[in-house]
Amino acid sequence: MTAATALSWVTVCPLDRLDQDRGVAALVAGVQVAIFRTADGLYAIDNLDPVSGAYVLSRGIVGSRGEVPTVASPLHKQVYDLRTGDCLDLPGVSVARHQVRCHNGMVEVRLRQEG
């Protein structure tokens, strides 16, 4: 991924296409991203489940632990913080999180630049 790609906002879909508390997968600059709409806002993380190695997090169960918005992997049920990407069940395990926004009624994602 180039720096220009990492810093560009990519339009994914209209906001009204996202159901609350359900995930969708989108391909953003060659990266599978899981996007979630909750009562608290929009979240974007990698779709790749680091435990199973499968691209399934967009199909996960959206919920919360206390005030923390979460998604549970549909395969092995590890729970990830949607704000940070950190796994709440396995210390040291995480998924990349990405910037996401609604701009003029469209959901846009900007991949997190590594390094």
Side-chain angles (χ1 to χ4, degrees):
M1 165 175 29
T2 67
T5 300
L7 298 176
S8 298
W9 287 100
V10 176
T11 301
V12 175
C13 67
L15 180 63
D16 62 9
R17 295 283 310 267
L18 298 181
D19 292 331
Q20 189 163 317
D21 297 328
R22 307 286 301 271
V24 297
L27 193 60
V28 177
V31 176
Q32 282 195 37
V33 175
I35 302 168
F36 302 91
R37 180 181 183 183
T38 71
D40 296 327
L42 294 169
Y43 300 94
I45 60 175
D46 275 357
N47 196 32
L48 179 64
D49 177 353
V51 174
S52 69
Y55 290 92
V56 295
L57 290 180
S58 62
R59 295 175 162 185
I61 301 165
V62 176
S64 64
R65 283 199 182 164
E67 299 295 314
V68 177
T70 62
V71 63
S73 170
L75 295 180
H76 298 293
K77 308 303 185 239
Q78 286 82 14
V79 175
Y80 297 89
D81 182 334
L82 287 172
R83 301 168 306 171
T84 64
D86 292 335
C87 183
L88 302 179
D89 298 322
L90 300 171
V93 175
S94 66
V95 294
R97 64 177 178 77
H98 305 287
Q99 292 180 301
V100 61
R101 69 181 183 188
C102 180
H103 182 72
N104 295 327
M106 300 299 286
V107 175
E108 298 178 340
V109 173
R110 181 164 61 182
L111 297 179
R112 186 178 84 179
Q113 188 172 8
E114 298 297 328

